[in-house]
Amino acid sequence: MQTKNPLEFFRTLPPKQCTECGTHIIEQAESYLLECDRCLSKHED
């Protein structure tokens, strides 16, 4: 079994999607959010 280059693994991951509305989330390093900013702001109301 050949191991994949770790950088290639992360490059080929699909973009993260918001669990509420399905839009793509632009992630920052060490981000564990599952919802976009718009959906998160709705919860604060």
Side-chain angles (χ1 to χ4, degrees):
M1 178 184 221
Q2 184 179 1
T3 58
K4 223 178 184 184
N5 179 346
L7 292 176
E8 187 63 27
F9 170 78
F10 288 107
R11 259 185 251 152
T12 58
L13 285 175
K16 188 186 274 188
Q17 287 184 303
C18 176
T19 56
E20 287 289 317
C21 68
T23 59
H24 293 283
I25 298 174
I26 298 173
E27 293 185 87
Q28 295 181 2
E30 301 291 329
S31 175
Y32 301 104
L33 296 175
L34 298 176
E35 296 177 352
C36 67
D37 290 335
R38 190 178 77 216
C39 290
L40 285 171
S41 67
K42 290 179 184 177
H43 294 295
E44 294 175 4
D45 291 344

